Amino acid sequence: MQDNIKISEFSRETLDLVNRIINRYPKGREKSALLPLLHIAQSENNGWLSPEMMDYVASLLKIESIEVYEVASFYSMFNLKPVGNCVIEVCQTGPCWLRGAENILAHFEAKLGIKPGETTQDGKFTLKTVECLAACGNGPVIQVGKEYHENLTTNKADELLEKWKRENKISHTNPYL
Amino acid sequence: MATQILLKNIDVPGLAGFQVYRNLGGYTAVEKALKTLTPDEVTDEVKKSGLKGRGGAGFPTGMKWGFIDKQSGKDRYLVCNYDESEPGTFKDRHIGTLNPHQLIEGMILGSYALGAKTAYIYIRGELFYVLNIIEKAIQEAYNNGYLGQNILGSGYSLDLYCHPGAGAYICGEETALLESLEGKRGNPRIKPPFPAIVGLYGCPTVVNNVETIATLPWIINNGSDAYAAIGVGNSKGTKLISACGHINKPGIYEIELGLPVEEFIFSDEYCGGIRDGNKLKAVVAGGSSVPILPAELILKTAAGQPRLMSYESLSEGGFQTGTMLGSGGFIVMDHTTCIVKNLLTFARFYRHESCGQCSPCREGTSWMEKILTRIENGQGTTKDIDLLVDISKHVEGNTICPLGDAAAWPVASAIRHFREEFEEHIKLQKCPF
């Protein structure tokens, strides 16, 4: 690691949480805490995992950085590039599609002026498509941070967008708090 | 009204709290087991009940427990598979959100039977808000002496923790789940050895679905005979069916196994019929991976018998004319549905979720998605249909885990039953819907 890169660090409160989580696994199996820690790390790093942040997590668990990179790149909830403040994830799998998910996605695209995978120029919103969120009976479904929004209509989508704009919505909060 | 084991009190306000659950008879099964039954007697009750795994594979639960190596001298683990991700399946979310203590009580019973001192609930990362609810309930169970050291003075101790996934369908496969719980990529392991011998941290481990575990308190309270008296044939007990798609009443229903499919779809007690008075076209009865059936074959078997919601009846006729109960994810399509487009969304799903370890699955899922995209967009050729069948045959059975089969079956069955719809896309050079 280069000396001039800023080292990420958690607050004392977050470190307490981290230690409580590590203690859930047997001695010598601390690596088990990797996914929970990456969730926390992402929430503390504006919603994405920078190489520096992943190195820091590796140091907390006393494992090699590569062990973190290979895991972070496997799971779809981890963002390896910067994202907007509010990440809108639209389910597009069969059951949601049957109930109009394509219209909902097209509506968000038109309203935000971006395609899935893109972030608005002001950095406020990122749009993503995701696969089944296991809420199929209430499709179309979107996820924003920990929140599910179900039985979505274009009207509901507009109301949510207005609300999020008004309150400068940040979707990456510490999921344990 | 069918017997309700999982949903009986689901509408009681505050059920997620310890006291409400307790007042309704909660944790009496733990008291009964820890004070009057040996671990082997608990296992025997579950064996005799005929309960099968409710995650999709339908393997007998008691038998799975019976495989656990109790002589190894190593720690033993019970892990709850809460990685609910099979498209069409949304029953487990319901249990954890509204009735977490029934799941916790089941975890204590299962752990006691297996002799586990530590147990984990592996829950998909998207459901973090459900994890929060369950962790709060776990804390209440500790505070009331049902978890921790020397539970109810029995000498038995158990620690129970939640563990979040991070967006990977494959972690619903039990060995991938264990890899993920160990902090690794979710690549399924080669079996054997099975987890009952070499599981979490190399120790004997049982992985059970949420619904399976939440059923245990009822079996211990009411006895295996009472459970086995519900249902039909080898399909014992009740099953949660999560119904979605083009029905009037999407939702989660607890049925007694053996209910006629026609009654489930059309009666007001369940799905309430097809939306807008439309015609039933097809059903995927057990989550996206099971074969799709056209209306006539889901309502009646090829032999003309009424099709029942049971393991045996749904699979009658094999894959030529039958399907599977699977996870109970029941996806209903009306006559306005394009079968090719629906299949394309499934193919995209499996391509996205393939872990990439086995080349037939990694390459095959991506080829199937590409070809289906071509057909749906009106650029397919007649040869593409046979090519899809050929690829699906080369994926099926040629991978370490069942994801390959899960990706192949929807393609093969859609072409088997709706071939003319694929041909129409090709002939018209566009989607006819």
Side-chain angles (χ1 to χ4, degrees):
Chain A
M1 190 189 294
Q2 291 168 34
D3 293 339
N4 58 356
I5 289 177
K6 185 178 160 285
I7 309 284
S8 312
E9 272 185 32
F10 288 158
S11 66
R12 176 175 289 272
E13 189 193 9
T14 306
L15 280 173
D16 284 345
L17 172 65
V18 162
N19 286 326
R20 280 204 304 280
I21 290 171
I22 290 174
N23 284 329
R24 295 172 174 184
Y25 308 98
K27 281 251 170 308
R29 300 291 183 175
E30 291 80 3
K31 187 178 172 181
S32 275
L34 183 50
L35 292 186
L37 260 60
L38 286 176
H39 279 294
I40 294 168
Q42 179 160 284
S43 72
E44 299 244 335
N45 193 56
N46 299 319
W48 73 292
L49 292 170
S50 59
E52 297 78 33
M53 188 44 109
M54 289 191 276
D55 292 342
Y56 177 60
V57 169
S59 73
L60 288 173
L61 293 174
K62 302 183 179 67
I63 57 179
E64 298 295 329
S65 293
I66 186 67
E67 294 177 83
V68 180
Y69 304 159
E70 67 170 7
V71 164
S73 60
F74 184 84
Y75 294 90
S76 65
M77 288 181 77
F78 297 132
N79 302 310
L80 301 182
K81 288 183 193 155
V83 292
N85 291 340
C86 178
V87 182
I88 302 170
E89 301 176 306
V90 184
C91 176
Q92 57 173 356
T93 316
C96 273
W97 170 73
L98 287 175
R99 297 183 77 89
E102 275 184 336
N103 288 342
I104 296 298
L105 180 62
H107 189 72
F108 277 116
E109 287 179 13
K111 283 278 170 170
L112 296 170
I114 51 173
K115 293 282 177 196
E118 295 177 353
T119 300
T120 54
Q121 282 202 332
D122 60 9
K124 285 188 175 161
F125 293 99
T126 295
L127 189 60
K128 268 174 90 170
T129 53
V130 291
E131 297 300 340
C132 191
L133 292 172
C136 317
N138 299 339
V141 179
I142 63 165
Q143 178 156 33
V144 173
K146 283 205 294 187
E147 300 164 12
Y148 273 50
H149 297 278
E150 308 178 20
N151 291 311
L152 219 64
T153 58
T154 51
N155 281 345
K156 260 196 196 176
D158 285 341
E159 284 171 27
L160 287 168
L161 271 178
E162 281 311 310
K163 182 168 165 279
W164 293 331
K165 279 180 189 163
R166 219 171 32 243
E167 62 191 30
N168 283 318
K169 176 79 175 175
I170 292 174
S171 57
H172 48 268
T173 53
N174 185 328
Y176 281 97
L177 304 179
Chain B
M1 185 74 180
T3 312
Q4 299 285 287
I5 291 173
L6 296 143
L7 300 186
K8 185 177 173 214
N9 298 320
I10 208 84
D11 295 326
V12 175
L15 181 64
F18 176 84
Q19 205 52 54
V20 172
Y21 180 73
R22 179 82 181 126
N23 292 345
L24 291 164
Y27 289 104
T28 49
V30 165
E31 285 171 11
K32 181 176 174 182
L34 266 53
K35 290 179 178 168
T36 69
L37 300 173
T38 65
D40 286 345
E41 284 170 338
V42 174
T43 302
D44 282 344
E45 278 295 279
V46 175
K47 272 185 187 161
K48 282 190 286 180
S49 74
L51 173 65
K52 291 183 180 182
R54 299 300 195 220
F59 192 84
T61 305
M63 195 190 288
K64 197 176 195 181
W65 290 9
F67 294 147
I68 196 118
D69 182 358
K70 290 192 169 179
Q71 311 303 323
S72 69
K74 294 178 184 169
D75 287 338
R76 300 190 281 275
Y77 291 99
L78 174 63
V79 177
C80 173
N81 185 342
Y82 209 136
D83 196 45
E84 182 168 61
S85 329
E86 171 89 359
T89 317
F90 49 99
K91 62 194 178 68
D92 296 338
R93 178 174 81 133
H94 205 56
I95 296 175
T97 309
L98 298 173
N99 197 4
H101 282 288
Q102 190 163 330
L103 172 62
I104 294 168
E105 186 171 10
M107 287 299 286
I108 301 168
L109 293 168
S111 300
Y112 176 66
L114 298 169
K117 295 181 200 123
T118 308
Y120 295 98
I121 297 172
Y122 181 103
I123 182 164
R124 66 178 293 179
E126 291 88 343
L127 291 181
F128 231 112
Y129 76 95
V130 182
L131 179 147
N132 297 148
I133 294 169
I134 297 171
E135 284 200 337
K136 198 174 155 202
I138 287 175
Q139 191 54 54
E140 287 184 311
Y142 270 102
N143 295 346
N144 286 279
Y146 289 92
L147 285 172
Q149 294 298 307
N150 191 19
I151 299 169
L152 305 177
S154 65
Y156 176 66
S157 303
L158 175 67
D159 283 314
L160 175 61
Y161 305 109
C162 284
H163 179 99
Y169 165 77
I170 190 60
C171 293
E173 195 281 333
E174 62 180 10
T175 62
L177 184 152
L178 295 175
E179 287 288 297
S180 182
L181 184 46
E182 292 182 3
K184 301 176 202 159
R185 294 164 74 91
N187 289 340
R189 299 173 181 170
I190 292 172
K191 295 192 269 193
F194 288 89
I197 312 297
V198 181
L200 183 64
Y201 310 131
C203 298
T205 303
V206 165
V207 182
N208 284 148
N209 169 261
V210 174
E211 182 185 346
T212 311
I213 291 171
T215 301
L216 301 174
W218 194 96
I219 292 174
I220 295 305
N221 275 328
N222 296 275
S224 52
D225 288 347
Y227 191 80
I230 307 166
V232 61
N234 283 324
S235 300
K236 308 290 191 195
T238 68
K239 175 88 189 81
L240 291 181
I241 306 293
S242 54
C244 66
H246 297 149
I247 45 178
N248 284 319
K249 291 169 58 195
I252 298 134
Y253 300 99
E254 183 167 12
I255 61 156
E256 292 187 1
L257 287 167
L259 179 79
V261 172
E262 187 161 7
E263 186 180 342
F264 182 68
I265 297 176
F266 291 101
S267 89
D268 286 336
E269 194 181 338
Y270 300 105
C271 301
I274 310 303
R275 68 167 185 189
D276 305 331
N278 285 355
K279 259 177 64 188
L280 174 65
K281 180 173 183 176
V283 171
V284 176
S288 59
S289 59
V290 310
I292 189 171
L293 287 183
E296 59 276 15
L297 281 176
I298 189 68
L299 298 176
K300 284 192 166 59
T301 65
Q305 295 297 311
R307 185 85 75 178
L308 309 178
M309 303 283 279
S310 71
Y311 291 98
E312 296 93 329
S313 180
L314 280 167
S315 58
E316 197 178 316
F319 276 7
Q320 278 311 305
T321 58
T323 181
M324 288 164 76
L325 179 65
S327 63
F330 199 84
I331 310 168
V332 181
M333 291 162 230
D334 72 12
H335 72 269
T336 68
T337 311
C338 173
I339 296 294
V340 177
K341 182 63 194 278
N342 183 70
L343 179 63
L344 170 58
T345 75
F346 289 170
R348 183 179 57 208
F349 175 86
Y350 289 110
R351 187 264 303 153
H352 185 262
E353 302 301 341
S354 172
C355 80
Q357 195 176 204
C358 311
S359 44
C361 173
R362 182 184 64 237
E363 304 303 323
T365 52
S366 119
W367 295 343
M368 290 192 289
E369 184 197 7
K370 269 187 204 159
I371 296 165
L372 282 163
T373 303
R374 189 151 88 206
I375 295 174
E376 173 63 14
N377 291 340
Q379 293 146 353
T381 64
T382 313
K383 277 199 292 195
D384 281 339
I385 303 176
D386 293 328
L387 186 56
L388 276 173
V389 173
D390 186 55
I391 294 170
S392 76
K393 279 185 186 154
H394 282 91
V395 175
E396 184 183 359
N398 289 316
T399 53
I400 288 174
C401 88
L403 193 140
D405 297 350
W409 294 342
V411 173
S413 60
I415 295 173
R416 186 181 307 128
H417 298 299
F418 295 95
R419 191 178 184 105
E420 70 287 355
E421 211 168 300
F422 290 78
E423 290 167 348
E424 210 183 343
H425 278 76
I426 290 160
K427 200 174 113 203
L428 297 174
Q429 296 189 317
K430 64 170 189 169
C431 175
F433 289 90

